Amino acid sequence: MKNKSPIILEKTNSLDILKLNNLSHVRVDHLKEEVQLVDSNNTVHLVITFTENGLELTINAKNLKINVSEQLSLSGEEINIHASKKLSLISDGNLISEIDGSMVTHVRGDNENIARIQKVTSTLGNIEMKANDNFKVEGERVLLNCD
């Protein structure tokens, strides 16, 4: 089967539209300096914008999957992840967090940590725990100041 070239639907000084197939087309906007992937309903799914700060990529999708065989790295001055219903981090191996600054976790509901062994170490200063009600410690034996 022979590959078909894209068909130019519209060409102006500021806009080029290339038809890829019956379902999508590419819109090149020279004034905005961006490329858009648009479906037959004129919904924009992918935008590549060339800004003075560098390349900006916007993906509008129902589902987005990224598969790599080796390593996926994300780096930036700030990285924000937001989920409106649920956020899951799942590792079949270890999970390692290395933080040079402070870490603050706010949980509006309950917080539960479950592990085979729990270790809490303060390398400089106190370990502080506070409850606005009862403070319960349960164990087969509760040992204080013991190694």
Side-chain angles (χ1 to χ4, degrees):
M1 183 176 204
K2 193 175 179 184
N3 287 342
K4 294 183 179 179
S5 299
I7 300 169
I8 298 176
L9 296 179
E10 182 181 334
K11 186 170 181 65
T12 65
N13 288 340
S14 63
L15 189 68
D16 295 340
I17 298 177
L18 305 172
K19 183 175 182 178
L20 299 178
N21 55 38
N22 291 334
L23 301 177
S24 63
H25 60 274
V26 174
R27 193 182 304 157
V28 180
D29 190 327
H30 301 285
L31 292 178
K32 292 182 181 177
E33 293 189 358
E34 70 180 24
V35 178
Q36 299 176 347
L37 180 61
V38 183
D39 69 13
S40 59
N41 296 322
N42 239 10
T43 303
V44 178
H45 294 280
L46 175 70
V47 180
I48 302 170
T49 307
F50 301 93
T51 71
E52 58 188 44
N53 295 328
L55 184 72
E56 183 178 290
L57 178 66
T58 304
I59 300 172
N60 302 309
K62 185 174 182 177
N63 295 299
L64 177 64
K65 295 180 181 180
I66 300 172
N67 295 308
V68 297
S69 62
E70 293 290 325
Q71 181 178 356
L72 174 65
S73 298
L74 300 174
S75 65
E77 190 173 312
E78 277 191 34
I79 297 176
N80 299 298
I81 299 173
H82 174 262
S84 61
K85 289 187 180 180
K86 179 181 177 181
L87 176 65
S88 298
L89 294 175
I90 299 170
S91 172
D92 292 333
N94 296 327
L95 176 63
I96 299 167
S97 296
E98 293 184 20
I99 302 165
D100 287 336
S102 298
M103 179 174 152
V104 177
T105 304
H106 291 276
V107 180
R108 289 186 181 90
D110 295 341
N111 185 34
E112 187 173 344
N113 291 308
I114 300 171
R116 188 176 46 84
I117 296 173
Q118 298 268 340
K119 294 182 180 183
V120 178
T121 302
S122 176
T123 58
L124 178 66
N126 300 333
I127 294 178
E128 299 176 7
M129 291 188 260
K130 181 180 179 180
N132 73 339
D133 203 344
N134 295 335
F135 186 88
K136 298 178 181 181
V137 178
E138 294 181 22
E140 188 175 308
R141 295 179 302 162
V142 176
L143 306 172
L144 300 175
N145 293 326
C146 298
D147 287 331

